[in-house]
Amino acid sequence: MSEYIEFNPTPEQLAYTFGPNPPVAKVRPGDVLKIRTEDCFGGVVRGFGDLPSQVCRFPYLNPVTGPFFVEGAEPGDTLALHFVSITPARDWAVSSTFPHFGALTSTSHTATLQPPLEERVWVYDIDLAAGVARYSARNSDFTVDLPLDPMHGTVGVAPGAFEARMTITPDAHGGNMDTPELRAGVTAYFGVNVEGALFAVGDGHARQGQGEVSGVAVEAAMETVLVVDLIKGVGTPWPRLESDTHLMATGSARPLEDAFRISQHDLVTWVSELTGLDLLDSLQLVSQAGEAPVGNVCDTNYTMVAKVAKAYLGRAGAYDGVHHRLKALGAAYR
Amino acid sequence: MSEYIEFNPTPEQLAYTFGPNPPVAKVRPGDVLKIRTEDCFGGVVRGFGDLPSQVCRFPYLNPVTGPFFVEGAEPGDTLALHFVSITPARDWAVSSTFPHFGALTSTSHTATLQPPLEERVWVYDIDLAAGVARYSARNSDFTVDLPLDPMHGTVGVAPGAFEARMTITPDAHGGNMDTPELRAGVTAYFGVNVEGALFAVGDGHARQGQGEVSGVAVEAAMETVLVVDLIKGVGTPWPRLESDTHLMATGSARPLEDAFRISQHDLVTWVSELTGLDLLDSLQLVSQAGEAPVGNVCDTNYTMVAKVAKAYLGRAGAYDGVHHRLKALGAAYR
Amino acid sequence: MSEYIEFNPTPEQLAYTFGPNPPVAKVRPGDVLKIRTEDCFGGVVRGFGDLPSQVCRFPYLNPVTGPFFVEGAEPGDTLALHFVSITPARDWAVSSTFPHFGALTSTSHTATLQPPLEERVWVYDIDLAAGVARYSARNSDFTVDLPLDPMHGTVGVAPGAFEARMTITPDAHGGNMDTPELRAGVTAYFGVNVEGALFAVGDGHARQGQGEVSGVAVEAAMETVLVVDLIKGVGTPWPRLESDTHLMATGSARPLEDAFRISQHDLVTWVSELTGLDLLDSLQLVSQAGEAPVGNVCDTNYTMVAKVAKAYLGRAGAYDGVHHRLKALGAAYR
Amino acid sequence: MSEYIEFNPTPEQLAYTFGPNPPVAKVRPGDVLKIRTEDCFGGVVRGFGDLPSQVCRFPYLNPVTGPFFVEGAEPGDTLALHFVSITPARDWAVSSTFPHFGALTSTSHTATLQPPLEERVWVYDIDLAAGVARYSARNSDFTVDLPLDPMHGTVGVAPGAFEARMTITPDAHGGNMDTPELRAGVTAYFGVNVEGALFAVGDGHARQGQGEVSGVAVEAAMETVLVVDLIKGVGTPWPRLESDTHLMATGSARPLEDAFRISQHDLVTWVSELTGLDLLDSLQLVSQAGEAPVGNVCDTNYTMVAKVAKAYLGRAGAYDGVHHRLKALGAAYR
């Protein structure tokens, strides 16, 4: 009894935290959801003169669409979100530097006495048909077409312990993980912390390099279709991702090696459970077969992904095959 | 006037530091070198009973073949080493855990009061014809064939400032970077710090996951062919790599975000020089187009690689095209 | 028109986050407040058999007394809390290890595959008259009297950006800073983020070493007297402390060097404002004259304090002398 | 049979690494040594116009006096150096900023795209009789007298594993720890790695704040008297210090929490050995009674000190009382 639900938030409906916010809609496991998300600047950075520090007003940054209340979701369950499609909603996208934000500048926390880098905006042409985002330098006539690879930087559920967290922060509840691995075709898993899970989605990127070095990706409003499901009575310690070919665990923390440790620890534990390997045998396999794609090295927590090909794991299937079920369910909406 | 030189060190000729050690041979720019390297255990770990902490004796770990004195090399130059082939020299390879070493254990520096993980050895069958290394679990009958992807964990030159550094340490002089990107077909660039450069090579891995999570890869003795060249009067701040398709910069430091920053800073600067983009335009391009493959998160310094496709950089060619010249030169020796 | 208000919370009134919680009472600038705070375990760890992981239930840890609504407090103001006295409320206190928590164990974030250290409880005898807390070893008959030096580990206001944060987390809003510098005689300053400031106090320690290495101090319920004041229109970026002799700035972050940087950056900036020294002259003075007492190296963020003697700063007075006014006001209640 | 030896190096005799350098002199356990050390700039920064980056030439920075060959010293022993006196040798000292060096600037490793802070020199008047160093601002007429507290930033032995390390680097062999705790009256202990120990001393500071925030202390040439001793067959993992009242362990690493962990781990272990407490009882005692004075947060490794009062440890005496013997021996030379 899958329903198809569309939701396009008004500006007033956008949320700026993951937490116990009033839900914008209720959904049920199996429902297909088509949502619109605004870009991280709330859509107000549109040209070279729109410096984010001037046209955006803290904390009204990185809005998310949601939260959605999932009927039946309780603490201890796992929420599965299968991303059927993530499509840039406009024919342009933007990027920028932002004062004292990013990996190659001192920041509010890696605090130095140096002034910030120049604040600068770049505008990208998005050509869906050609599948490219066009980079144009600001101080020369250099241009290059980069392949579109749309993703959501921010996806998560309400955190536990009565917390509400800025959408810009990634942590065990998800949030602003900013990993290019969260693209269409992937199922994301989150441990449920509060009744209804209260998930939300935002911060679309037409594409993003690993690490999001400048602090800002190719920011784009998105039209996104996803399928919702619930795995009852099964917990998930940190957000996980599954594609047709790979299993992925995430970790978000500082310093970066802790994000790496969390993600690898979860992957080693998960592979052990799926394959019956003991922890050291699983560690050995992941050590030789695994990948470690960097998410972001600029947000309030950094995000690392630990990734291994399913082909190396025998017949093991994660979460009882929900990824393939949701993919099939979503196929009609692609 | 390229010469072909073979060098197979005796055990006494192996080196354990990068520094002002007496060279094992002199080579000239353009020479092709075929060397044998021993594995990180000096070849003494051969079975389940050969626990590294018992059969190896500190500091006689991670031996390198070299150093080689490059005629004409002076501080301020760049040494180019093109890896024509890297071939496992035996039909087996080994891996292990090692007490208080690795990313998922406390260590000598991330010091805790916990006892070490169990020390355990794994033996891999190497099948060159099939191109696989066979993983076999120790505590179950699980096996899986992983693709061979041979690489050298340790390549570098003598450091500056009169230093001698353990081969296990990666830093600005190269050393134990443990990145899978250092495979056959790649040219590695090192800034020269002392007369003759004094480069050395070791620590072959039949394959390695990103991050080398357990601290130990699929360790293998290697037969390696490389071409040596010298770029006079051009410095290189941190080791760089070039493949047919990508430019890569490395950084080795702790915490991991500093390794990331160093590598990205060097790539942004390098791309700026090659393309004429100013630093912020280069930062923007690298941020959206770049990759950040993890090297190691277990050694005395961690290593990150910043990587960008040449296809995105216009007609820019690094180091005046030396990669393609050396590739052509080495083709006859593949 | 200073009022004297006593507040002793019922267990149901205790709070577990800093955030927009309903206030337990309203106070006005100049009011003197006598409160009771429960220990970090909610008072349920009383003997060797009361292992915290068994008798405490997450997230009901580290309760705070509050929040208190300060009339007139608005974002952009600074809240001043002068601690007149902090007195252990019982003749015993407790400490413990806690699984995978503390500086000398792997943790949830510095994740390893090692099992946790043994969980163990220590009980201290508190002798107010003698001014000592008696340490007794568990596995030998070693005992020693350590001087009482009562402090509050957790003091803060509601954070901005619509956040609610676990009381165990220190950040720009204060929280679980766990610095021994927050003792009686000190005035603490917090930037106000929400109307009413909503401050709360908890986590008394009969004493604590620098760094809180084991993760748990000599935990004690407290009777605390404090004076509340408001500095209108003056912001404070991170919590600051003032004693009769010293100015202190705090930073809470990971890695530890970022906590250090934040605290030193704020102290250098503050000293510059107070003395008229330019930033580099202030940096130079703080570099040679400053101290850097460690707060905690175990919580979700680590805390460092940057400290300088007022005697080195000429006639400069912080916040227009409010520390001395509040001290005088509180004298009657000591 | 204690001998009294004076050594005042010529500029050519200064060393720039800890390693297997030819010794400048041989000494025997029990000998009293009076040495002269040059400041970290080699004495060439003498006025506002002497910008270090212009008048100093890398790697000729941070010279040390030595190495001294200690007769009978073998790997596995502990070298004890008791500092009888450390006296500024001139009536002036200097400090500075240095481009991309220090805690409140991006650096070569915490690499950003920001330009360096202004390079600026400060000159201090040293008044031995009054016991003060006079700070004078450069951009105002602010001055203040700071108490002299002379120390050596750099003391160490040759490292193991055939290494030679720049004197600017602190590690397990000692080196540039830059802790104000290394002052007159203190005995420093170092594990011996090579025959003769090969210790050296340099980098005097007329005083230094905790953390050496700007990267440079009040740099001064020194006249230093020390007594040398050897504890045969007893190892020391990381440098330790002992004063009349305290035991101290050091750790030097990045990130800063690892320096903290190393130092606390060693102190907990050491206290356990001295008192017979088991490791967890020792951890508990150190956690409540210990201090953690910051050394440096600017060098190639950061240094932390873990410190506990002897008064809390019962009758335990470290290294069989050598501190008190050396103090008595040195008393005649004060």
Side-chain angles (χ1 to χ4, degrees), chain A residues 203-256:
Chain A
D203 190 27
H205 298 164
R207 71 168 285 121
Q208 179 205 306
Q210 291 179 334
E212 205 179 9
V213 188
S214 71
V216 184
V218 184
E219 308 291 338
M222 292 288 176
E223 294 243 329
T224 292
V225 177
L226 50 89
V227 194
V228 179
D229 208 352
L230 201 57
I231 300 142
K232 291 294 297 178
V234 175
T236 293
W238 283 83
R240 292 172 176 170
L241 306 176
E242 182 176 2
S243 69
D244 290 353
T245 56
H246 287 81
L247 297 182
M248 293 170 260
T250 70
S252 295
R254 291 188 176 199
L256 189 56

Side-chain angles (χ1 to χ4, degrees), chain A residues 95-97 103-105 110 117-120 122 124 135-140 142-147 207-218 254-257 260-262 264-265 268 275-294 297 302 304 311-314, chain B residues 95-97 103-105 110 117-120 122 124 135-140 142-147 207-218 254-257 260-262 264-265 268 275-294 297 302 304 311-314:
Chain A
S95 191
S96 76
T97 45
L104 292 184
T105 172
T110 305
L117 297 172
E118 177 199 328
E119 192 171 1
R120 192 186 288 183
W122 289 262
Y124 286 75
Y135 164 90
S136 300
R138 286 290 308 277
N139 278 343
S140 74
F142 184 103
T143 68
V144 64
D145 284 350
L146 303 174
R207 71 168 285 121
Q208 179 205 306
Q210 291 179 334
E212 205 179 9
V213 188
S214 71
V216 184
V218 184
R254 291 188 176 199
L256 189 56
E257 51 262 46
F260 178 84
R261 286 180 184 119
I262 291 166
Q264 297 288 338
H265 184 279
V268 166
T275 59
L277 291 171
D278 77 7
L279 277 178
L280 287 193
D281 277 345
S282 176
L283 169 64
Q284 175 60 210
L285 179 56
V286 168
S287 292
Q288 314 310 346
E291 299 163 62
V294 177
V297 192
Y302 304 140
M304 295 290 295
Y312 298 150
L313 304 183
Chain B
S95 191
S96 77
T97 46
L104 293 184
T105 171
T110 306
L117 297 172
E118 177 198 328
E119 191 172 1
R120 193 186 287 183
W122 290 262
Y124 286 75
Y135 165 89
S136 300
R138 284 292 307 277
N139 278 344
S140 75
F142 184 104
T143 67
V144 64
D145 284 348
L146 303 174
R207 70 168 286 121
Q208 178 206 304
Q210 291 179 334
E212 206 179 8
V213 189
S214 72
V216 184
V218 184
R254 291 188 177 200
L256 188 56
E257 52 262 47
F260 178 84
R261 287 179 184 120
I262 293 167
Q264 297 287 338
H265 184 279
V268 167
T275 59
L277 291 172
D278 76 8
L279 278 178
L280 286 194
D281 277 345
S282 176
L283 169 64
Q284 175 61 210
L285 179 56
V286 167
S287 292
Q288 313 311 345
E291 299 164 60
V294 177
V297 191
Y302 304 140
M304 295 290 295
Y312 299 149
L313 305 183

